[in-house]
Amino acid sequence: MTLPDGKNETWYLAPITEIPGVHHALLMTLDGMVQARSEGLTVDEADGIAAMTSALHSASRAAANTALRAAPDTPIETVAVTMPTGTYMVMPAGANTLIAAAGDESMHMGVVINKMARQAKKLGEQFMSVSARTNDGAS
């Protein structure tokens, strides 16, 4: 899988897609732009799923915040859609980023959520890391 800027992001989604029962994983911005996709998704499929996931996440957040009387800016942790053919899960993966995974009925949701959260933390750490300064003060 590759980010639009050409960076290889296999390290990020591969641990999720290696879980038994998981078919696809996707990293996207909150507004539905694909950042990375698993190999089983075409560009067109990933773009469509990312756009729909953005709407799903936004609607879920608005409904949950209203139903739970939470502040409008309260983030949601996980959105899960379960169907007879499998489950689709979405969670935040850092600032303005979402991660999603889709799998069949054999997929263990607890394992997938845990791995997604761990990968989100790793992604945040990667983007937060700053290169070491040299003796002349330059980075």
Side-chain angles (χ1 to χ4, degrees):
M1 59 215 80
T2 305
L3 287 175
D5 63 6
K7 293 181 183 173
N8 186 325
E9 292 298 326
T10 301
W11 69 270
Y12 186 73
L13 295 177
I16 298 164
T17 57
E18 291 170 356
I19 298 170
V22 175
H23 296 290
H24 307 294
L26 191 61
L27 180 66
M28 70 205 84
T29 62
L30 276 176
D31 60 356
M33 301 301 295
V34 174
Q35 297 297 302
R37 61 185 169 84
S38 58
E39 294 175 9
L41 289 174
T42 67
V43 171
D44 288 342
E45 288 172 329
D47 286 344
I49 292 168
M52 291 180 277
T53 299
S54 174
L56 171 69
H57 183 267
S58 179
S60 297
R61 180 175 165 183
N65 285 346
T66 300
L68 298 172
R69 296 191 173 120
D73 60 345
T74 303
I76 58 176
E77 293 181 15
T78 307
V79 175
V81 177
T82 304
M83 302 169 62
T85 55
T87 301
Y88 182 66
M89 296 182 293
V90 181
M91 70 174 9
N96 299 316
T97 306
L98 298 172
I99 183 170
D104 61 34
E105 61 279 352
S106 71
M107 178 180 78
H108 190 283
M109 289 175 47
V111 172
V112 176
I113 288 292
N114 182 277
K115 184 59 75 174
M116 288 169 66
R118 292 174 86 184
Q119 293 307 102
K121 182 178 179 191
K122 286 180 184 180
L123 183 67
E125 289 169 355
Q126 179 193 18
F127 287 127
M128 295 296 289
S129 65
V130 178
S131 58
R133 293 189 178 264
T134 60
N135 289 338
D136 64 2
S139 293

